[in-house]
């Protein structure tokens, strides 16, 4: 039998939440009976639970089923959020000192799921995050966000393999689009930034500098027919084309001065 531990001086949950808690306990009985063959049930005649297995309902109505040590969640357990901003979320895995620590699976109410490592209550180490929309990330985490080396495959067929920082593409990486376009190079804050090469689905190729996701600086485009255009780009536009768009005629001194001024502004 599973023990049900109640917090001292804590009011019982509402009827609605009690129904939810009862359902969760009943559906957990089989798993608990299979997995709890090392620790005895926590005693019902004392508030101190140590090296035992029990069920605990928090003051807010959340539910923990699992192992205890020194009156704290410690070892394998399942925590279900019944109320609050995390309502409907569930974590199954390792605990240390009543916080998520070790290997675990976190299922979000919106359908997202994380399977991987935790440290001191946050995602840290290797993990897999599957989004409800079909996107999937496999890689490193630090301080609860994507950081380090990782791969994300998008539901639309796009794929990024490379470095991450603060949850964004950052550093060296390769992004392959579903339409056949491919970028290999540097990233910053989720955008192409620095030196990189884009091979377009048309067969054209750009090799050069990028800034905030746009061609910016010195670069070379090799067209599918073999011809090349070498020069400078500003906010994705070829600098001479910008001056020509201002109504300046190629070959004139004003056109030349415009090109030199824009290059100087890069």
């Amino acid at each position: 039998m599973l023990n049900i531990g109640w917090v001292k001086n804590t009011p019982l949950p509402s009827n609605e939440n009690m129904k939810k808690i009862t359902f969760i306990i009943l559906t957990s009985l089989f798993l608990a009976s299979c997995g709890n063959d090392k620790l005895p049930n926590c005693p019902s005649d004392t508030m101190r639970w140590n090296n035992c297995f029990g069920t605990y309902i928090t003051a807010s109505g959340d539910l923990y089923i699992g192992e205890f040590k020194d009156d704290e969640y410690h070892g394998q357990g399942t925590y279900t959020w019944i109320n609050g901003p995390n309502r409907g979320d569930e974590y199954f895995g390792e605990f240390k000192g009543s916080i998520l620590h070790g290997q675990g699976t976190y299922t979000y109410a919106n359908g997202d799921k994380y399977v991987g490592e935790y440290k001191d209550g946050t995602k840290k180490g290797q993990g897999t995050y599957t989004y409800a929309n079909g996107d999937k990330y496999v890689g490193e985490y630090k301080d609860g966000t994507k950081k380090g080396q990782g791969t994300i495959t998008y539901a639309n067929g796009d794929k990024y393999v490379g470095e991450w920082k603060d949850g964004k593409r950052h550093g060296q990486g390769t992004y392959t689009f579903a339409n056949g376009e491919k970028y290999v190079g540097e990233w910053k804050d989720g955008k192409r930034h620095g030196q990189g090469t884009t091979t377009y689905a048309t067969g054209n190729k750009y090799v050069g500098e990028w800034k905030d996701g746009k061609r910016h600086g010195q670069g070379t485009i090799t067209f599918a027919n073999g011809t090349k255009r070498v020069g400078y780009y500003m906010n994705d536009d070829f600098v001479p084309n910008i001056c020509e768009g201002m109504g300046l005629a190629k070959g004139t001194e004003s056109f030349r001065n415009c090109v030199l001024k824009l290059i100087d502004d890069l």
Side-chain angles (χ1 to χ4, degrees), residues 106-125:
Y106 194 113
T107 303
Y108 295 84
N110 66 359
D112 291 356
K113 178 183 282 189
Y114 171 80
V115 180
E117 296 176 285
Y118 282 87
K119 184 176 181 181
D120 299 328
T122 61
K123 304 179 190 73
K124 185 173 182 179

Side-chain angles (χ1 to χ4, degrees), residues 187-209:
W187 297 78
K188 182 179 180 181
D189 295 329
K191 298 178 180 179
R192 289 175 269 201
H193 192 100
Q195 194 71 23
T197 299
T198 292
T199 303
Y200 299 93
T202 59
N204 298 341
K205 178 185 284 189
Y206 172 81
V207 180
E209 296 176 289

